[in-house]
Amino acid sequence: MNILLVEDNQEIAAFVSRGLSEAGDVVSVATSARQGLIEAAANAFDVIVFDRLLPGMDGVDAVRVLRQSGVATPILILTALDGIDDRVTGLEAGADDYLTKPFAFAELYARLRALARRQPVIDTDPTRLEVGDLVLERPTQIVTRAGVRLDLLPREYKILEYLMMNEGQLVTRTMLLEKIWGYRFDPKTSLVQTHVSRLRAKVDKPFNGELIRTVRGAGYVIGEP
């Protein structure tokens, strides 16, 4: 997982960061809400951990700002406030989970993994998907860009459809393996990279403007440059 930890307590930040790193995750640490907002807006994360009491801005307010700006990354609030009203406030602000201090690292890690596995909630109703000049007609499975019809293989079409349904949001390799191939394990191959590379050769290479972008070490995002 690629995780953003926003925590001003140095001991807690070091403890959590070390534990996540030992588990093989990549951790970025921010010590203020402002720094956390900048990191969350500039980088793609699988999950974000926000302390509730942060210097300069309450963690709940920071979560609300992220949600209003369109950031849909799963967020867990970490706090010493354990009242029901406090939890409700955090969840209503847009947090996905809430864990009170003191906590067991094993529980925190299990909750983060559960959040990272969640796929974005997508609307299955639209029959026409558009990203810039790229158009996908779901009933006929016809895909065009700038009015030119693209000849896509079945899995290329499914990958593109899934990316377009989650426009502007990070789609991880794990999500693609599960959604497109039905894998619930890592096959240790370049299966996803190979198919996305072929897809990009058809969607992006012949046209002006890259729509499908690689988020290094995380996955892919589709959207206008």
Side-chain angles (χ1 to χ4, degrees), residues 1 3 14-29 105 109:
M1 294 183 291
I3 301 168
F15 170 71
V16 173
S17 180
R18 183 173 62 250
L20 293 172
S21 297
E22 289 174 349
D25 300 308
V26 178
V27 185
S28 298
V29 178
F105 176 78
Y109 189 61

Side-chain angles (χ1 to χ4, degrees), residues 117-133:
R117 284 197 299 268
R118 291 184 186 178
Q119 298 182 12
V121 177
I122 59 178
D123 182 0
T124 57
D125 292 331
T127 58
R128 179 185 174 96
L129 303 176
E130 296 184 52
V131 176
D133 59 355

Side-chain angles (χ1 to χ4, degrees), residues 42-60:
N43 303 286
F45 296 97
D46 293 310
V47 65
I48 299 173
V49 180
F50 255 104
D51 182 33
R52 172 68 191 267
L53 302 177
L54 291 166
M57 178 185 289
D58 188 279
V60 169

Side-chain angles (χ1 to χ4, degrees), residues 119 122 158 162 174-183:
Q119 298 182 12
I122 59 178
K158 289 181 179 179
Y162 190 60
T174 300
M175 291 163 63
L176 287 172
L177 282 170
E178 184 177 58
K179 180 68 177 180
I180 308 303
W181 284 272
Y183 289 165

Side-chain angles (χ1 to χ4, degrees), residues 2-214:
N2 190 16
I3 301 168
L4 173 61
L5 172 63
V6 188
E7 170 63 70
D8 65 321
N9 185 302
Q10 294 184 0
E11 291 185 359
I12 294 177
F15 170 71
V16 173
S17 180
R18 183 173 62 250
L20 293 172
S21 297
E22 289 174 349
D25 300 308
V26 178
V27 185
S28 298
V29 178
T31 57
S32 69
R34 182 177 182 276
Q35 185 184 357
L37 290 173
I38 293 173
E39 288 285 338
N43 303 286
F45 296 97
D46 293 310
V47 65
I48 299 173
V49 180
F50 255 104
D51 182 33
R52 172 68 191 267
L53 302 177
L54 291 166
M57 178 185 289
D58 188 279
V60 169
D61 292 331
V63 171
R64 189 175 290 112
V65 169
L66 284 180
R67 294 304 189 224
Q68 290 174 348
S69 64
V71 175
T73 306
I75 297 175
L76 180 144
I77 291 181
L78 197 60
T79 182
L81 303 176
D82 60 356
I84 293 177
D85 290 343
D86 295 311
R87 279 176 278 176
V88 170
T89 299
L91 295 173
E92 288 183 341
D96 299 275
D97 202 355
Y98 205 96
L99 184 61
T100 57
K101 303 175 183 178
F103 58 88
F105 176 78
E107 181 180 4
L108 171 64
Y109 189 61
R111 287 172 180 259
L112 293 181
R113 285 180 61 86
L115 288 177
R117 284 197 299 268
R118 291 184 186 178
Q119 298 182 12
V121 177
I122 59 178
D123 182 0
T124 57
D125 292 331
T127 58
R128 179 185 174 96
L129 303 176
E130 296 184 52
V131 176
D133 59 355
L134 179 65
V135 178
L136 183 150
E137 301 284 356
R138 300 179 76 196
T140 59
Q141 296 193 356
I142 291 176
V143 179
T144 61
R145 182 166 185 190
V148 179
R149 184 166 177 174
L150 307 183
D151 184 17
L152 302 182
L153 296 175
R155 279 212 169 94
E156 293 169 351
Y157 171 86
K158 289 181 179 179
I159 292 171
L160 181 61
E161 180 186 41
Y162 190 60
L163 288 171
M164 293 180 73
M165 290 292 290
N166 294 280
E167 178 186 0
Q169 304 299 323
L170 174 68
V171 174
T172 67
R173 294 181 179 89
T174 300
M175 291 163 63
L176 287 172
L177 282 170
E178 184 177 58
K179 180 68 177 180
I180 308 303
W181 284 272
Y183 289 165
R184 296 185 180 275
F185 61 93
D186 186 351
K188 305 296 182 183
T189 68
S190 59
L191 188 66
V192 173
Q193 294 92 319
T194 299
H195 279 75
V196 172
S197 178
R198 291 173 181 170
L199 177 62
R200 294 175 74 174
K202 297 177 180 180
V203 171
D204 284 338
K205 191 173 181 179
F207 304 92
N208 293 323
E210 182 184 72
L211 292 178
I212 302 174
R213 301 187 298 281
T214 299

